Amino acid sequence: MSRLLTGLLLLLGLQVATADPASEFWDWFAANEDRVGAEPYGPQTSEDMAYWLGRIAPGLSYQITRSGRKSVLTLSSDGELRLFPIVDRLVEAAPRVRGWKVKSLRRRVKALQTESTGAVTLNPADLYFDLYEDAGRFGVVFYLPVFEPGSMQDYRTAAMRLMSQSVGERDVGAWIGFVDFDSQNVRDMESSRPFQDFRQVFDGLRK
């Protein structure tokens, strides 16, 4: 093998080894922002976003909304506290893309929306909960109209996103520890509350 070819192979290997997944994600996003904005949760967009974000860190997710004339890309870790610094750095590295805003972590919203993940759909109008202090943080039990124990990870992801709508993802990651689920037929009728009260109860316990 010639020295030139050997050098080229070594250089190519070095470039692959030192590739920055965050920079590659933003390069891909800037090149595909039209499609992402038009079909934010279409099969191809969802697959591509999962791939590029997964290369940065498993557990990252995204949300796309509208704010006036701009699309808003919110990067998230679904309440996983240890990933917050990665999300923050990724947002700080975002290039300017015309027509887009980029935010770190899911924010409180005025009107709660249904969250669907995998085979699980959580409608805030149908949920009850118990929230209590647990080893310096809060534990929460959700009571569902229909509960399928085989879908626990999907339930947890949807619940973290729903709580983030209510109180903001940064507070969810900082305060929520134990999360569990059960059927509504076992809930305490006196102590459990409808999910619409979650923000009030959470803010009251945090003080």
Side-chain angles (χ1 to χ4, degrees):
M1 183 181 297
S2 70
R3 291 183 179 180
L4 177 59
L5 180 56
T6 301
L8 289 174
L9 290 174
L10 288 173
L11 179 60
L12 179 60
L14 180 62
Q15 290 175 336
V16 171
T18 59
D20 176 16
S23 295
E24 292 181 336
F25 167 72
W26 287 122
D27 288 344
W28 170 84
F29 181 83
N32 293 273
E33 55 89 8
D34 285 343
R35 171 168 61 83
V36 173
E39 301 178 352
Y41 302 107
Q44 189 62 57
T45 300
S46 297
E47 181 180 339
D48 288 347
M49 290 289 284
Y51 169 75
W52 290 106
L53 291 176
R55 293 183 70 243
I56 298 167
L60 299 188
S61 66
Y62 74 100
Q63 177 186 50
I64 294 176
T65 54
R66 294 287 300 179
S67 177
R69 296 182 178 180
K70 289 185 176 290
S71 296
V72 181
L73 170 65
T74 300
L75 297 173
S76 167
S77 65
D78 293 326
E80 187 64 52
L81 185 62
R82 65 181 177 82
L83 296 178
F84 281 9
I86 295 175
V87 177
D88 289 337
R89 288 195 298 270
L90 183 58
V91 170
E92 289 171 1
R96 289 188 178 183
V97 179
R98 187 175 181 179
W100 286 87
K101 294 180 181 178
V102 180
K103 294 183 178 181
S104 179
L105 305 177
R106 300 170 190 264
R107 313 297 176 90
R108 290 188 179 205
V109 299
K110 292 182 179 179
L112 298 173
Q113 302 293 322
T114 296
E115 289 285 356
S116 295
T117 307
V120 166
T121 296
L122 296 184
N123 184 340
D126 296 336
L127 300 182
Y128 290 82
F129 73 96
D130 281 321
L131 186 68
Y132 53 90
E133 295 186 45
D134 179 44
R137 303 180 80 191
F138 300 152
V140 59
V141 179
F142 287 95
Y143 301 102
L144 314 176
V146 178
F147 174 52
E148 299 291 344
S151 300
M152 289 298 288
Q153 185 55 52
D154 287 341
Y155 279 125
R156 179 177 174 82
T157 299
M160 296 299 272
R161 293 177 181 178
L162 194 57
M163 288 188 287
S164 296
Q165 288 188 43
S166 181
V167 301
E169 185 177 350
R170 203 169 293 276
D171 278 342
V172 169
W175 288 95
I176 299 296
F178 180 80
V179 181
D180 202 3
F181 305 88
D182 212 330
S183 173
Q184 285 186 6
N185 60 17
V186 302
R187 74 180 179 91
D188 188 314
M189 301 289 288
E190 295 184 2
S191 65
S192 61
R193 304 278 292 271
F195 188 76
Q196 284 84 349
D197 295 343
F198 186 85
R199 182 181 299 179
Q200 176 186 354
V201 176
F202 179 92
D203 288 344
L205 279 178
R206 194 177 54 168
K207 293 179 179 177

